[in-house]
Amino acid sequence: LRDDEKIKIRMKRILTPSLFIFLFILLYIGTACHETVQEIDQEEEDLIKFWEQFPGSRLESALSIAEFYEEMDEVQKATFGHVLFVELNKLNFRRIKDPRLLKDVYEYIDYSIDYYLQTKDYMRAIECYSYKGEFLLTERRYTEATKTLLKAIDIQEKENYPGLTAKIYFYLGRVSGYQEEFQEALTYIDLAIAYAGKDSLQSEIAKMYIVKGWIYDSLKDVYAALPNYRRALELTTDPVVIGDLFNSIGSSYTQIKQLDSALYYCSRSLEYPYIETNYSIRLYHLAEVYHKLHKTDSALLYANQAFDYPVDVYFQRNLYDLLREIAVEQEDNKNIAFYTKQYQAASDSIRKISSQPGPHIMQQIHELDKITIQVKSHRYYLSIFLIVISVIASMIIFYLYYKQRSKKTGSRYL
């Protein structure tokens, strides 16, 4: 064989295996990711079956094996954190203090999120982000909740999970509303309703309309709030939600001084079941109606009764303000001083909550972080590209050098 033919054969021997190795690596990565998602499905199914062997609730079963967390493999740990938050969601994210949980609950869900992202199981990753965001929301850690939910939105942009996306936007709308960024809140809620409509999530859409009505109420636009409450009533059969809706409609009628209608709806709201702080809120609004009707004894009865139930800090402030007003009317100096002090304490707590950066600012920070990551990523890929070009250039130079050399060698024999 001539020297140039020998060089070509050598080059094929170098390049062909390299190409096959590269293609094999790509195929292996894709197959491994698919197998990992299937493995997670099977592991989660097996672990849930194992939990169900324990007496009591699934949460109690999870707590029973929490002490073995460090001995679990990666899939089991990810599944543990995921299912733990599914069960906490059923408790409306009441933080549980159980000695069997050796870590903070967020450490468990963070491990699950990291694992699902690594294995490209994006549906579970988004679901875990939504649970974490809602938990942070219930603890009024609004800045952290917003950061968590925006990360979920980034993944959603690449995938298509309308139901999960609706939940994320719904929570972002609530965070924005709580921090009085009402126009931002309306935008998020409208997005949530649109995505939920793709999956026909009627009960979830009803809750979204309730929040939308509450936002309009907060903007003092009662006539925009009421149609949203009535739309929610058409969509739900949940008795807890119906009770909350009657309460919200009654509160709206109170604002526009239609007190007979307000009294009807607020009174009816007490007939329905409740969760968490809902009942104290209903009692406050009923007390407010009676106060405006100048029925002080009834107002005092329901206002004081509200403290027998869990009370949200915002409505705690409102209750103390109402009781202070009644004390002023009755010229009860002792209670004026007491309720004023309690009102100020609740107001201080609310100021601390409100001092957190709002979702609009967090969105801007998040976008800047994304740009920074993209720049770093582009630099990384540019470096890889330059290395590949350098290797190819070196091989071409190597080939041309030996080709030229073979020509010179051949010319010696002429």
Side-chain angles (χ1 to χ4, degrees):
L1 292 173
R2 293 184 307 173
D3 287 347
D4 58 337
E5 290 176 344
K6 289 180 181 178
I7 291 168
K8 287 179 181 178
I9 290 168
R10 284 178 194 158
M11 294 296 290
K12 284 180 180 179
R13 285 176 180 172
I14 294 170
L15 292 174
T16 303
S18 301
L19 180 61
F20 276 110
I21 289 169
F22 178 70
L23 291 173
F24 174 77
I25 289 170
L26 287 178
L27 181 63
Y28 175 78
I29 291 170
T31 306
C33 289
H34 177 68
E35 288 178 350
T36 303
V37 173
Q38 288 183 325
E39 181 187 358
I40 293 169
D41 289 338
Q42 187 59 50
E43 286 274 7
E44 185 160 309
E45 186 179 331
D46 292 344
L47 192 59
I48 289 170
K49 284 180 181 177
F50 173 71
W51 284 0
E52 288 172 347
Q53 296 174 10
F54 289 83
S57 67
R58 189 178 288 178
L59 178 60
E60 182 59 33
S61 301
L63 295 173
S64 299
I65 63 170
E67 61 183 299
F68 304 109
Y69 180 80
E70 295 301 335
E71 299 169 24
M72 297 178 188
D73 62 28
E74 290 181 333
V75 180
Q76 289 171 336
K77 286 180 178 178
T79 302
F80 179 87
H82 184 194
V83 178
L84 176 64
F85 268 69
V86 170
E87 296 308 308
L88 289 174
N89 180 40
K90 294 175 184 176
L91 296 174
N92 298 300
F93 289 110
R94 289 198 301 273
R95 180 178 278 273
I96 54 174
K97 295 181 180 178
D98 193 295
R100 290 171 291 181
L101 284 177
L102 304 178
K103 299 173 178 284
D104 184 85
V105 288
Y106 290 110
E107 291 186 49
Y108 294 113
I109 198 71
D110 284 341
Y111 184 94
S112 302
I113 290 169
D114 290 342
Y115 183 77
Y116 293 141
L117 289 175
Q118 288 171 15
T119 55
K120 301 187 186 304
D121 189 350
Y122 294 123
M123 187 182 78
R124 283 190 177 90
I126 295 173
E127 192 172 35
C128 288
Y129 270 131
S130 74
Y131 284 134
K132 182 182 178 183
E134 188 178 9
F135 202 167
L136 289 163
L137 177 59
T138 60
E139 294 192 324
R140 302 198 185 281
R141 294 162 64 175
Y142 296 141
T143 301
E144 294 169 78
T146 304
K147 284 181 182 178
T148 299
L149 296 168
L150 288 173
K151 287 177 183 176
I153 291 296
D154 288 344
I155 302 173
Q156 175 274 329
E157 289 173 356
K158 306 171 190 173
E159 304 297 324
N160 183 30
Y161 305 116
L164 288 173
T165 305
K167 285 175 66 176
I168 300 297
Y169 280 125
F170 179 48
Y171 299 148
L172 282 168
R174 286 170 59 191
V175 172
S176 300
Y178 292 147
Q179 295 195 275
E180 300 184 357
E181 293 187 0
F182 296 122
Q183 294 304 324
E184 195 88 6
L186 286 171
T187 300
Y188 282 132
I189 295 298
D190 285 338
L191 283 168
I193 291 170
Y195 276 102
K198 294 178 182 179
D199 271 3
S200 301
L201 303 173
Q202 299 301 314
S203 61
E204 297 302 314
I205 293 172
K207 294 175 185 176
M208 294 166 189
Y209 275 113
I210 293 174
V211 173
K212 189 173 181 180
W214 165 73
I215 293 167
Y216 279 119
D217 261 339
S218 301
L219 289 167
K220 307 300 181 187
D221 191 351
V222 175
Y223 293 103
L226 283 169
N228 285 286
Y229 293 142
R230 297 195 183 283
R231 177 65 180 139
L233 267 177
E234 295 170 3
L235 294 171
T236 189
T237 57
D238 185 336
V240 174
V241 176
I242 292 171
D244 290 341
L245 277 165
F246 277 8
N247 171 64
S248 298
I249 292 169
S251 174
S252 294
Y253 278 127
T254 302
Q255 289 188 52
I256 56 178
K257 296 181 173 57
Q258 294 186 21
L259 298 180
D260 288 341
S261 296
L263 183 61
Y264 169 78
Y265 281 104
C266 287
S267 298
R268 286 288 311 276
S269 73
L270 300 185
E271 299 171 12
Y272 290 86
Y274 62 92
I275 56 172
E276 294 298 304
T277 61
N278 292 15
Y279 203 72
S280 61
I281 294 171
R282 297 176 193 177
L283 288 166
Y284 162 72
H285 282 135
L286 184 55
E288 185 182 32
V289 176
Y290 276 120
H291 181 239
K292 291 184 182 298
L293 288 168
H294 306 292
K295 295 183 178 181
T296 305
D297 289 343
S298 295
L300 282 170
L301 173 67
Y302 288 111
N304 284 309
Q305 192 179 340
F307 288 104
D308 295 335
Y309 297 87
V311 184
D312 178 89
V313 66
Y314 286 89
F315 284 93
Q316 192 178 72
R317 178 185 63 179
N318 293 349
L319 280 163
Y320 285 129
D321 191 35
L322 176 61
L323 290 167
R324 182 179 60 176
E325 277 188 50
I326 293 172
V328 169
E329 291 167 5
Q330 294 178 335
E331 298 181 353
D332 184 346
N333 293 328
K334 182 179 178 181
N335 276 331
I336 290 172
F338 174 76
Y339 291 130
T340 299
K341 183 178 179 181
Q342 296 301 318
Y343 172 83
Q344 288 172 344
S347 297
D348 289 342
S349 298
I350 291 169
R351 270 193 291 273
K352 289 177 184 177
I353 295 168
S354 302
S355 65
Q356 300 176 69
H360 182 68
I361 294 173
M362 294 309 304
Q363 175 76 48
Q364 292 177 334
I365 293 171
H366 183 71
E367 292 301 323
L368 287 172
D369 288 342
K370 281 170 63 177
I371 292 169
T372 303
I373 291 168
Q374 286 173 356
V375 169
K376 288 181 179 178
S377 177
H378 290 159
R379 286 177 181 171
Y380 171 77
Y381 287 118
L382 180 61
S383 301
I384 296 295
F385 175 74
L386 291 173
I387 290 169
V388 170
I389 292 296
S390 299
V391 170
I392 293 171
S394 300
M395 294 175 73
I396 291 170
I397 291 168
F398 173 79
Y399 172 75
L400 293 174
Y401 170 75
Y402 275 97
K403 186 176 181 180
Q404 187 67 28
R405 185 179 173 186
S406 66
K407 284 182 180 179
K408 287 182 179 179
T409 304
S411 65
R412 291 177 187 174
Y413 300 99
L414 293 175

